Amino acid sequence: MTRLPFHTVNRICRKCIVPVVAGTLVFGAVAGIPVPFVGQASIAEAATAATYKLVQQGESMVTSGAKQLDYQWVSSNPAEAAQLVHVLQIDLSNPYVQLNTMVGKNDSVTTHQSVGGMVKETGAVAGINADVYNTSPTSEGAAFGAVIKSGELLASTSQLQGMYAFAVTKDRQPMIDLFNFTGSVTAADGATFALTGINKGAYMTEPDNGYSHYGKLYIYTDNWTASQRPMASSTTPTEALVVDGVVTEIAAGKQIATPIPANGYILRGHKEAADFITGHLKVGDKVSSLYSLVSQKTGQSYDPSSFQMLVGGHTILVNNGAAASFSRDISGVSGSADRARTAVGYSKDGKTVYLITVEENGGLKGVTLKELQQIMLQLGVYKGVDLDGGGSTTMMTRPLGEFAPVLAHPTYFGTQQRLVSNGIGVYTTAPQGTIKGIAASGPSTLFIGQQASYSLKAYDTYYNPIDPSGLTPQWSASTTEIGSFQNGVFTAAKPGTAKLTVKSGGASASVDIEVVGGDQLEQLSIAPSTTVLTPGSTIPVPVTARLMDGRELAVPASSVKWEFKGFKASVNDGKMTIQSVDSGTKIGYAIARYDGFSTMAVFAPGTEKTLENFENVGYGITFSGLPADSTKGGVSLVTGLSGQESTKALNLTYDFTTGGTVDRFAYAVLNGGKGIAVDGGPSALTLDVLGDNSFNWLRAEFLDAKGNKVYADIAKQIDWTGWRTIRVDLSDSGLTFPAKLTKLYVVNLAKDQDERSLQGEVAFDNLALQIPPNTAAENETSLLLKIGSKEATVGGQAVQLDTAPFVLNGTTYLPLRFISDALGGEIGWDQTEKKVSMIRGDKMVELWMGRSDMIATGVRVPTPAAPIIQNGRTLAPLRVVSEQLGLKVAYDGKNKTITIS
């Protein structure tokens, strides 16, 4: 969507930035300008020979006339991960299914609500998010498009170009069209005045770039629950309250304070419209209004009551069964980038409506709008329109036999749902039928060692749930190879797939289950809350797996096996309790293993030292912003913040509402930019942060021992409210000590700026440093080896090798144990798995004989060649040593020597 000026209400949707785990560091920024997130390929770069097809993965009924279809969007390029597409397919020829608009709480057009909340409030059996809306802090968050629910116009269109809408008429015909609003108000003396809109926020009109409320007359009903009508309109209101068609109150130059009753409305005017109110309306007079929607394409006028529902959308995507030219600039909705998407369309015969979402979560990146067009065409969409996407994309659906709808797939945030302006709900009017069948309910994806419960559900002839009590389930599994099933509980034992079947009487149902194996993993990671080894302490150690198909899943604690080096510990329910630290331990390792796939967290004995708690600050803290002419804000030390009422905290407010579309920064500058001392060589910084759910980027700036700036991510997105403790890992930062912490700051990037709040407030408290003990300097011994020779030098001393380095098929092989021993590593051999492992510093490499991949500190990566065994010694490719163990390798081709340090 074309960006609206920032002094209006530019929202389009609060989609979020590419997910990166909070607490990681990003380096290479210049003068505070951040390096990009994960790069998105341009359309030109992506326009290769790859083709795509939609492959159906599953189908399930929601209710009579509505079913859920799940697909993969598969590229012909095997290196490109498939994306997940979800569709609610609605049969409008079925008399028992209806579509209707869902809005904010109690039908408010200015109170946002999650799709799940709207579904629950209205009794829908399924639903998706709909219109783009305004997130400016100087707006009420109303949708840009028109809103019709059950034939009632709750909000009119905006004067914006190319904003299509989706509607279903009372006679169940779907429509996608461009609509204008037209109307008039007639006074008792016969005078009339043009009506510009109903329940609209302030915005800049197109194409004239005018003020929406200047000289205009609007109606506001009780569906507008915001305190102002509207905010930041740059106009002074004159209002009249009309109840049952009679003027009951008039206020010149101000808002009427009387609440709007259900049988009344406010006429709100400015300049000429205000003159109409004061000159032609009197208390006790009758007044009438007339309005309609007019198609920009055909000129046909529609009474809003002729529609069952209508929601606004964005650009047209599909028209007459072909990809359409975009009707708006798509940069405002990141149209050329891969994102989560929401869309709606219908078939050529008008009998089928498609409610469509595309996932973006974990390794799933979503699709571009051009790809979305192709998806819709392969689904059979004849006409379709884009809806609000990104972080707003949500689909709720009621599983067969269940009474309550659930998330059909993860949102951008996982299970969290963004609060949105409105949605499209799916409803059933079917009567209660007789029992038709039964369904098996329970999780479909498990890990080895996990237990999951399954239950019997029942549904009637209209696919609506019925009480299954009285039914006697009989369970069975298609195989016992991957696990055992008893009394409704399945215990996963091995990777593979199975079908669980339940029978009751003559009815049966099944659910396909998958037990994830190590060969499906792309990455395994541990996120400990601290890396300080303290006997008796308990540390959460959640483990997350990313599968090669892009799914990101939490690994149950019962599925992880642990090994500890340098200390003794136990793990129960995902929490590690440190029992003791071995004498002389300078560095300890917690190794998590799952079905042959391993990862590692590094710990060290040490202390936690308070850096700053803001109770007795003896230096100045000031605010600065970039660009300086368009960034406002302030810093202060405050007490009484909710959750930490009795202590002081550093409060940072920011306001980016003026100026153009640029990267913006709001800084809390510590000690005039000289910073506060960070010494002792800490491995991590922890701090409490009071979030504002703005989805902005939160960072810290350091000066290292040489005065160079180093930037750390505190949180890639501030997606929470209330206090949260965050750990920022400094161990691999390259930050040399003594250092200084100079700034804590909020970043609002130009890219997708309409997705994040332009105003907000965050707070910081309890900054602490996790300091490991002083350890010996890393082994700096240099090794010199020669191809084909068993003679080598270690730190200048001659040694004899059991096996000489050699070259095979263009790959140079080195004796791994010799290198490990000489450079302070630890090597191991697993005879059963034919696996060699090496740990050095904070890196762990595991290689298998004959395999073309390896695990490098929890990440599956390809190997240039598999390791081999010669004379009883394991030899590994040189690139494994140089790239995965953090060693410097130099090769002298003339003398055929290799130097490793």
Side-chain angles (χ1 to χ4, degrees):
M1 178 177 182
T2 302
R3 294 184 182 274
L4 303 176
F6 280 105
H7 59 273
T8 68
V9 286
N10 186 10
R11 158 97 179 55
I12 312 310
C13 63
R14 276 178 46 191
K15 301 177 289 287
C16 285
I17 55 182
V18 175
V20 179
V21 176
T24 58
L25 292 169
V26 178
F27 301 96
V30 178
I33 303 300
V35 296
F37 302 135
V38 180
Q40 297 285 1
S42 67
I43 293 298
E45 292 170 335
T48 64
T51 58
Y52 299 85
K53 63 180 179 180
L54 206 58
V55 180
Q56 186 171 336
Q57 299 295 300
E59 176 180 329
S60 60
M61 295 300 299
V62 178
T63 189
S64 180
K67 60 184 175 181
Q68 178 184 340
L69 302 168
D70 300 303
Y71 297 89
Q72 282 189 328
W73 180 239
V74 181
S75 171
S76 61
N77 179 1
E80 188 173 348
Q83 301 304 306
L84 300 184
V85 180
H86 308 275
V87 180
L88 289 171
Q89 184 173 303
I90 314 302
D91 179 10
L92 291 182
S93 65
N94 185 304
Y96 296 118
V97 68
Q98 289 185 356
L99 295 178
N100 210 342
T101 300
M102 307 183 296
V103 291
K105 296 178 181 178
N106 300 315
D107 285 346
S108 169
V109 296
T110 54
T111 302
H112 294 169
Q113 191 170 194
S114 68
V115 174
M118 291 187 287
V119 163
K120 183 177 180 179
E121 181 179 308
T122 63
V125 296
I128 61 170
N129 63 293
D131 201 355
V132 293
Y133 59 97
N134 202 322
T135 58
S136 165
T138 56
S139 78
E140 298 81 5
F144 283 116
V147 179
I148 296 176
K149 179 179 179 179
S150 300
E152 180 184 0
L153 183 66
L154 304 186
S156 60
T157 59
S158 299
Q159 188 182 316
L160 299 171
Q161 295 180 303
M163 299 283 281
Y164 277 77
F166 169 76
V168 178
T169 64
K170 288 286 188 179
D171 56 0
R172 304 174 70 81
Q173 293 301 306
M175 290 179 59
I176 291 177
D177 206 345
L178 287 169
F179 292 101
N180 286 333
F181 174 85
T182 182
S184 62
V185 173
T186 302
D189 64 4
T192 64
F193 198 91
L195 184 62
T196 299
I198 297 176
N199 291 334
K200 301 306 295 182
Y203 65 99
M204 303 305 292
T205 59
E206 296 172 350
D208 57 336
N209 199 37
Y211 289 92
S212 58
H213 285 64
Y214 188 88
K216 300 295 192 290
L217 186 66
Y218 281 82
I219 280 178
Y220 288 88
T221 71
D222 64 337
N223 300 109
W224 184 275
T225 58
S227 60
Q228 297 187 53
R229 296 185 287 267
M231 295 172 63
S233 67
S234 300
T235 61
T236 301
T238 289
E239 296 188 340
L241 176 61
V242 180
V243 180
D244 289 330
V246 176
V247 179
T248 61
E249 188 176 350
I250 295 176
K254 62 179 181 179
Q255 273 196 177
I256 290 174
T258 304
I260 305 172
N263 59 339
Y265 59 87
I266 288 285
L267 280 174
R268 194 261 194 208
H270 173 255
K271 286 188 71 67
E272 300 90 345
D275 293 341
F276 170 76
I277 291 175
T278 57
H280 296 278
L281 303 183
K282 295 182 179 63
V283 173
D285 281 357
K286 289 187 176 181
V287 63
S288 62
S289 60
L290 184 67
Y291 47 83
S292 61
L293 298 179
V294 179
S295 168
Q296 295 182 27
K297 298 293 186 180
T298 65
Q300 182 176 347
S301 180
Y302 295 90
D303 186 324
S305 64
S306 66
F307 292 105
Q308 169 68 17
M309 62 147 295
L310 183 146
V311 292
H314 191 248
T315 179
I316 188 77
L317 292 176
V318 175
N319 194 23
N320 297 326
S325 299
F326 299 132
S327 55
R328 285 190 69 84
D329 179 356
I330 62 172
S331 61
V333 292
S334 305
S336 297
D338 294 320
R339 293 307 316 268
R341 301 291 176 188
T342 308
V344 59
Y346 57 85
S347 60
K348 185 174 182 179
D349 61 9
K351 293 181 179 180
T352 305
V353 170
Y354 305 90
L355 307 179
I356 305 163
T357 60
V358 183
E359 278 192 57
E360 180 187 0
N361 179 268
L364 298 169
K365 61 184 182 179
V367 298
T368 67
L369 284 187
K370 287 186 177 293
E371 285 184 272
L372 183 56
Q373 288 177 313
Q374 297 306 310
I375 289 170
M376 297 175 81
L377 291 174
Q378 292 190 33
L379 283 171
V381 172
Y382 182 71
K383 198 164 189 177
V385 63
D386 183 34
L387 299 175
D388 191 9
S392 296
T393 292
T394 309
M395 177 182 285
M396 297 289 295
T397 184
R398 188 182 69 184
L400 188 62
E402 301 281 356
F403 283 86
V406 298
L407 275 173
H409 60 82
T411 66
Y412 178 83
F413 316 101
T415 58
Q416 179 185 344
Q417 298 181 46
R418 172 173 289 165
L419 305 183
V420 296
S421 171
N422 55 44
I424 302 173
V426 181
Y427 301 85
T428 180
T429 61
Q432 183 173 340
T434 58
I435 186 170
K436 178 180 178 65
I438 58 176
S441 176
S444 58
T445 303
L446 295 90
F447 288 84
I448 298 170
Q450 183 178 358
Q451 289 189 327
S453 297
Y454 295 82
S455 58
L456 170 67
K457 305 293 181 180
Y459 57 91
D460 67 12
T461 48
Y462 301 105
Y463 299 99
N464 292 319
I466 58 177
D467 186 354
S469 61
L471 300 178
T472 303
Q474 295 178 322
W475 292 92
S476 64
S478 61
T479 177
T480 58
E481 293 182 1
I482 69 168
S484 58
F485 191 80
Q486 187 173 8
N487 298 325
V489 176
F490 183 83
T491 302
K494 294 181 179 179
T497 59
K499 186 184 294 290
L500 296 182
T501 301
V502 60
K503 294 183 178 181
S504 181
S508 66
S510 61
V511 57
D512 292 323
I513 61 172
E514 168 195 29
V515 179
V516 175
D519 59 354
Q520 295 174 257
L521 270 56
E522 179 184 83
Q523 181 176 345
L524 198 66
S525 58
I526 311 171
S529 59
T530 179
T531 57
V532 175
L533 277 178
T534 304
S537 64
T538 298
I539 305 170
V541 283
V543 178
T544 302
R546 176 173 291 183
L547 276 56
M548 288 190 289
D549 63 9
R551 287 179 292 167
E552 195 165 276
L553 305 170
V555 183
S558 60
S559 300
V560 181
K561 295 181 179 179
W562 292 90
E563 178 185 354
F564 307 103
K565 293 180 179 292
F567 64 99
K568 294 178 176 60
S570 60
V571 177
N572 293 300
D573 197 23
K575 296 180 180 179
M576 179 178 71
T577 299
I578 300 173
Q579 297 161 349
S580 63
V581 179
D582 298 350
S583 176
T585 292
K586 296 178 180 179
I587 187 169
Y589 303 96
I591 302 172
R593 304 188 188 278
Y594 176 76
D595 193 34
F597 201 107
S598 303
T599 191
M600 179 179 73
V602 180
F603 296 82
T607 59
E608 188 163 89
K609 171 186 173 183
T610 297
L611 177 63
E612 182 59 84
N613 59 18
F614 301 108
E615 294 301 321
N616 297 290
V617 174
Y619 53 88
I621 302 177
T622 57
F623 175 85
S624 70
L626 287 175
D629 59 350
S630 62
T631 299
K632 300 176 182 178
V635 293
S636 58
L637 296 175
V638 299
T639 56
L641 292 175
S642 178
Q644 295 188 187
E645 290 84 357
S646 61
T647 61
K648 287 184 180 179
L650 172 59
N651 200 60
L652 169 64
T653 63
Y654 56 91
D655 185 343
F656 302 130
T657 56
T658 59
T661 308
V662 295
D663 293 339
R664 310 183 200 200
F665 306 82
Y667 300 98
V669 183
L670 307 179
N671 196 19
K674 297 177 182 178
I676 56 177
V678 179
D679 51 24
S683 59
L685 166 71
T686 64
L687 69 167
D688 294 340
V689 180
L690 181 64
D692 61 358
N693 206 43
S694 63
F695 296 92
N696 285 310
W697 192 6
L698 193 63
R699 310 196 84 201
E701 177 188 282
F702 295 87
L703 291 179
D704 68 10
K706 296 181 179 180
N708 298 318
K709 293 181 179 179
V710 176
Y711 301 97
D713 291 341
I714 299 172
K716 273 293 187 179
Q717 57 198 26
I718 309 173
D719 57 359
W720 73 92
T721 56
W723 288 99
R724 174 178 291 183
T725 300
I726 297 175
R727 179 180 182 274
V728 182
D729 189 358
L730 301 177
S731 58
D732 282 334
S733 67
L735 185 62
T736 54
F737 300 98
K740 295 182 183 297
L741 173 63
T742 55
K743 295 174 183 176
L744 299 168
Y745 62 105
V746 172
V747 185
N748 183 281
L749 292 178
K751 183 181 182 295
D752 298 332
Q753 198 167 68
D754 52 353
E755 301 173 349
R756 297 176 292 277
S757 298
L758 298 176
Q759 279 183 321
E761 180 177 3
V762 296
F764 309 91
D765 201 1
N766 298 325
L767 279 65
L769 301 173
Q770 295 180 358
I771 303 176
N774 292 327
T775 58
E778 186 173 310
N779 192 323
E780 296 180 355
T781 302
S782 178
L783 311 184
L784 180 65
L785 304 96
K786 186 173 184 178
I787 301 297
S789 173
K790 291 185 178 182
E791 296 181 354
T793 62
V794 178
Q797 300 295 315
V799 295
Q800 194 76 13
L801 301 178
D802 292 332
T803 303
F806 66 93
V807 178
L808 177 65
N809 298 325
T811 298
T812 301
Y813 286 86
L814 304 177
L816 194 57
R817 180 173 292 278
F818 168 76
I819 294 170
S820 174
D821 292 344
L823 296 179
E826 180 179 338
I827 199 165
W829 170 255
D830 187 318
Q831 178 64 30
T832 302
E833 291 190 40
K834 304 296 183 186
K835 177 183 71 175
V836 61
S837 61
M838 179 175 172
I839 297 175
R840 181 179 183 272
D842 61 351
K843 294 178 172 58
M844 178 175 70
V845 173
E846 295 185 317
L847 306 98
W848 286 262
M849 299 299 111
R851 273 180 44 171
S852 60
D853 63 356
M854 62 181 171
I855 310 301
T857 320
V859 180
R860 185 189 302 274
V861 295
T863 57
I868 60 176
I869 296 177
Q870 189 176 84
N871 299 326
R873 298 296 184 187
T874 301
L875 292 97
L878 172 63
R879 280 179 52 191
V880 171
V881 175
S882 61
E883 295 178 3
Q884 303 303 334
L885 292 176
L887 299 173
K888 296 179 181 179
V889 178
Y891 179 68
D892 183 340
K894 180 179 179 180
N895 296 310
K896 296 183 179 182
T897 59
I898 302 166
T899 303
I900 303 174
S901 60

